[in-house]
Amino acid sequence: MDAEARDTATSRKRLHVITWGCQMNVYDSGRMADVLAPLGYEPAASPEGADMVILNTCHIRDKAAEKVFSELGRLRRMKEASDGRMILAVAGCVAQAEGAEILARAPFVDIVLGPQTYHKLPEMVARASRAGGAVIETDFPAEDKFDHLPDAAAPQGIAAFLTIQEGCDKFCSFCVVPYTRGAEQSRSAAAVIAEARRLVAQGSVEISLLGQNVNAWHGTEGWGLGRLLRAMAEIPGLKRLRYTTSHPRDMDDELYAAHRDLPALMPFLHLPVQSGSDRILAAMNRKHTADEFRAIARKLREARPDMALSSDFIVGHPGETEADFEATMQLVRDVTFAMAYSFKYSQRPGTPAAGAPMQVPEAEKDRRLQALQALLRDQQAAFNRSCVGLTFPVLFTGTGRHPGQIAGRSPYLQPVHVVGPVDLIGSEVPVTIVAAHPNSLAGTISQERRSA
Ligand code: SAH
Ligand code: SF4
Ligand code: F3S
């Protein structure tokens, strides 16, 4: 921190962070709070009356910018109510993509910063307080933000996120991420393991390794993700490991072997496929076929027979015909998913598909999305029903919605609630599932545990 930044660290201040988008944004929001803590900023539950509000934005689909401007309108009124004392910052992927437009349309914003510049926040806050004008940082700096961020200050909780890779080099036809997050960059294994140990020391029991293509991670040590997972599984006290989001192209034998050998590595993988049509997969620049995806699912289930899969789908990519869409439906029927996200293709400025001919009419996208979602919903309900009668460990992370309930996650990431004592929060406990709902499970603490 430079002298100027230190000067502003005079008193306790309240910071509220609003987070949209993916888990990497959730992680980044935590790190922004960490980097501001030495300036006296403490977390505030609401933007009302806060000294600083950060809006951490997502640019992935439609109307991203409009949503930002409408939220900024609401925050502007709060800023005015504070006599202009509130510092307003816009971070994340919309800031990166449309920083100049934000300052032009919302001149009351003090700071605009892209995802790779969060370590510069203290200095930007100092500049904004002094200059009275807006401060913008949307370059991709040569230095690595992780080398300049402090160690995580606030405990992240029982189930923590840990970003191990930034950016993306894949350039799928439809996607803004390579433009908003920059080139793919991996952190070293040593840095990742050190951060994981700190998280566990602070009470985290589960860690999800994050990256836009997390399975393309490669450490400076020459390690791949499978090797990293093996090393992480040896950290005492770390009971559960996950990684997300993976690209089918980067699945390798080391990863299948990790799923086979590591009990801590949860039997659930989010593996976006987007389409089941080879023609559309090629147009999307995904660089794999539908049958290659089927083979990956098979290998994962060979390695870990109880493996459950989740995925992302886009309907109505430019050029998608009824036959292409039917190929997607067939892939879903063949592979079967425990859950999935599906979206209508959304034209994103500056991406190759946005200008492609043969855009699919909106009504047709709607129809396809409904058909796909009905099928995926059925599969999710069937998967949840198949859990009834099983006993598996649940990691309890908090209280449930009803009095006396505690809630947590199954190995397959389903929310599970039971009637049980709050002192089980933070533990992994065997639970027998007694009922399945569309998006969650109900269970009872198993006899094994009661007699133990
Ligand atoms: N890195 C991940 C995906 C990140 S974006 C991967 O490669 O799979 C999360 C999801 O948003 C994508 O999987 C995709 O299904 C969806 N998505 C991205 N761009 C989109 C667009 N232009 N229109 C609709 N959905 C989109
Ligand atoms: Fe976007 Fe494709 Fe990169 Fe995923 S792999 S972030 S979909 S460009
Ligand atoms: Fe959204 Fe940026 Fe994540 S566009 S999905 S917040 S990488």
Side-chain angles (χ1 to χ4, degrees):
M1 197 191 322
D2 64 13
E4 222 170 6
R6 234 180 348 255
D7 283 346
T8 58
T10 45
S11 61
R12 289 169 55 178
K13 304 181 194 92
R14 290 157 44 81
L15 167 71
H16 181 73
V17 187
I18 300 168
T19 308
W20 294 339
C22 62
Q23 288 147 332
M24 302 184 67
N25 264 14
V26 176
Y27 177 84
D28 282 345
S29 289
R31 305 319 307 277
M32 285 192 274
D34 288 340
V35 84
L36 289 171
L39 299 194
Y41 284 97
E42 292 172 0
S46 130
E48 210 94 38
D51 299 280
M52 178 163 179
V53 174
I54 302 175
L55 181 58
N56 195 5
T57 61
C58 173
H59 204 234
I60 200 80
R61 281 174 291 273
D62 245 5
K63 303 195 179 89
E66 285 325 301
K67 197 174 154 201
V68 170
F69 286 113
S70 108
E71 181 71 6
L72 285 176
R74 185 176 83 99
L75 294 171
R76 175 190 202 163
R77 287 188 289 280
M78 291 183 201
K79 179 172 173 141
E80 284 166 356
S82 77
D83 285 333
R85 181 178 47 88
M86 177 194 284
I87 297 177
L88 191 51
V90 183
C93 292
V94 179
Q96 185 64 46
E98 304 194 19
E101 193 185 340
I102 291 171
L103 288 184
R105 275 182 64 184
F108 50 91
V109 167
D110 302 290
I111 294 174
V112 170
L113 74 169
Q116 305 310 325
T117 64
Y118 296 154
H119 53 294
K120 296 187 176 176
L121 247 180
E123 175 209 319
M124 295 176 77
V125 170
R127 268 161 60 203
S129 322
R130 184 177 30 129
V135 181
I136 178 163
E137 289 275 2
T138 49
D139 289 345
F140 292 116
E143 78 267 17
D144 178 348
K145 73 174 176 186
F146 292 110
D147 292 342
H148 296 264
L149 282 167
D151 292 350
Q156 265 221 43
I158 297 158
F161 293 142
L162 201 176
T163 295
I164 65 169
Q165 180 215 51
E166 278 281 325
C168 179
D169 293 336
K170 298 274 197 296
F171 292 92
C172 300
S173 62
F174 49 83
C175 182
V176 291
V177 171
Y179 312 96
T180 62
R181 292 264 167 178
E184 190 178 292
Q185 233 183 330
S186 294
R187 297 174 72 187
S188 73
V192 171
I193 291 168
E195 186 167 337
R197 287 186 184 280
R198 279 198 302 274
L199 288 167
V200 173
Q202 289 169 344
S204 299
V205 178
E206 170 179 309
I207 293 182
S208 297
L209 302 178
L210 302 182
Q212 280 296 355
N213 294 279
V214 74
N215 56 342
W217 177 89
H218 49 278
T220 37
E221 297 87 345
W223 290 21
L225 185 62
R227 177 96 186 258
L228 179 66
L229 288 164
R230 254 171 224 278
M232 303 235 350
E234 283 171 16
I235 299 177
L238 181 53
K239 298 246 173 71
R240 289 182 160 196
L241 280 167
R242 304 180 186 275
Y243 59 95
T244 197
T245 296
S246 297
H247 195 298
R249 250 158 88 183
D250 296 312
M251 292 306 298
D252 64 17
D253 289 343
E254 230 189 342
L255 262 180
Y256 297 122
H259 280 287
R260 184 191 61 211
D261 300 339
L262 304 177
L265 184 56
M266 292 292 99
F268 175 86
L269 188 63
H270 181 62
L271 194 61
V273 61
Q274 317 297 356
S275 168
S277 151
D278 288 345
R279 234 172 46 79
I280 294 300
L281 285 168
M284 287 176 162
N285 196 30
R286 295 290 289 185
K287 297 210 165 75
H288 67 80
T289 64
D291 277 346
E292 280 161 356
F293 187 85
R294 288 179 176 88
I296 291 168
R298 203 161 44 236
K299 282 190 199 162
L300 282 165
R301 285 168 170 151
E302 276 162 18
R304 183 81 202 234
D306 61 341
M307 177 68 80
L309 294 175
S310 133
S311 200
D312 290 343
F313 296 88
I314 295 177
V315 299
H317 183 275
E320 186 187 81
T321 62
E322 186 58 33
D324 293 318
F325 173 65
E326 181 44 43
T328 298
M329 295 290 277
Q330 192 53 46
L331 179 106
V332 174
R333 287 182 210 110
D334 292 346
V335 176
T336 69
F337 295 92
M339 64 159 299
Y341 301 94
S342 43
F343 311 100
K344 286 189 280 182
Y345 167 72
S346 156
Q347 273 174 297
R348 307 310 291 135
T351 59
M358 296 174 66
Q359 298 285 334
V360 176
E362 203 55 31
E364 188 52 33
K365 288 191 217 172
D366 276 327
R367 195 189 61 74
R368 291 178 192 173
L369 186 69
Q370 277 176 33
L372 176 60
Q373 288 186 339
L375 176 59
L376 290 168
R377 241 191 335 265
D378 285 350
Q379 291 194 348
Q380 180 169 350
F383 179 71
N384 286 353
R385 275 197 309 274
S386 76
C387 294
V388 175
L390 299 181
T391 298
F392 47 58
V394 170
L395 175 62
F396 288 105
T397 52
T399 51
R401 248 185 290 164
H402 301 292
Q405 269 186 356
I406 53 173
R409 297 276 178 165
S410 76
Y412 316 105
L413 218 53
Q414 298 140 299
V416 182
H417 53 87
V418 306
V419 172
V422 288
D423 61 6
L424 289 183
I425 294 171
S427 309
E428 227 191 2
V429 179
V431 167
T432 303
I433 301 306
V434 296
H437 306 295
N439 301 306
S440 68
L441 303 173
T444 55
I445 309 276
S446 99
Q447 293 301 334
E448 273 169 65
R449 162 85 194 187
R450 284 196 203 134
S451 52

